[in-house]
């Protein structure tokens, strides 16, 4: 039961962190000045054309949360080893994707036109 609640909370935390303004981007402007932006990992993924990583994270998180809720509700789902396996694998995959997204956005080379 603790694993299921933890899985739901973890995926919610991933969603919140991905939308926090964690990065500062600076760029030179044509007039010689510089401009500074505060960006979230989601913004950087879209700027670098890597939005598919975000969509994959959302899909894995949704599967993890849905299977966790089904297992918390109980019934026949409690006896299903397949559902438990899907929940554990999707939670692990969501965690790996979160780490990959954070690495990709930290090393992103955002280009401005």
């Amino acid at each position: 039961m603790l694993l299921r609640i933890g899985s739901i909370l973890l995926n919610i935390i991933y969603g919140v962190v991905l939308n926090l303004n964690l990065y500062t981007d600076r760029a030179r402007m044509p007039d010689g000045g510089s401009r500074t932006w505060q960006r979230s990992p989601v913004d950087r993924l879209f700027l670098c054309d890597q939005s598919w990583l975000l969509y994959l994270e959302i899909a894995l998180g949704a599967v993890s949360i849905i299977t966790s809720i089904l297992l918390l509700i109980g019934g026949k789902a409690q006896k299903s080893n397949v559902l438990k396996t899907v929940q554990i694998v999707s939670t692990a995959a969501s965690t790996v994707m979160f780490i990959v997204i954070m690495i990709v956005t930290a090393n992103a080379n955002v280009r401005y036109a």
Side-chain angles (χ1 to χ4, degrees):
M1 182 168 164
L2 187 60
L3 178 67
R4 288 149 185 86
I5 294 171
S7 174
I8 293 170
L9 291 176
L10 234 120
N11 282 296
I12 291 170
I13 290 170
Y14 292 161
V16 169
V17 170
L18 287 175
N19 286 300
L20 290 176
N21 289 332
L22 300 175
Y23 302 111
T24 302
D25 292 338
R26 291 179 185 90
R28 287 271 184 218
M29 296 282 100
D31 63 358
S34 65
R35 181 153 179 214
T36 304
W37 293 273
Q38 294 291 321
R39 302 232 192 254
S40 69
V42 171
D43 293 336
R44 277 194 161 192
L45 284 175
F46 281 107
L47 286 173
C48 296
D49 293 329
Q50 299 284 329
S51 59
W52 64 274
L53 290 171
L54 177 65
Y55 297 135
L56 186 58
E57 170 66 28
I58 291 170
L60 291 169
V63 169
S64 176
I65 289 173
I66 290 168
T67 54
S68 295
I69 290 172
L70 287 174
L71 288 169
L72 280 173
I73 291 171
K76 292 185 179 182
Q78 281 285 29
K79 298 176 184 175
S80 173
N81 285 333
V82 173
L83 199 57
K84 290 178 185 177
T85 304
V86 168
Q87 190 263 334
I88 292 170
V89 169
S90 64
T91 301
S94 178
T95 302
V96 169
M97 278 308 303
F98 175 74
I99 293 169
V100 167
I101 286 172
M102 294 307 287
I103 291 171
V104 166
T105 57
N107 294 322
N109 188 9
V110 180
R111 297 182 186 164
Y112 300 96

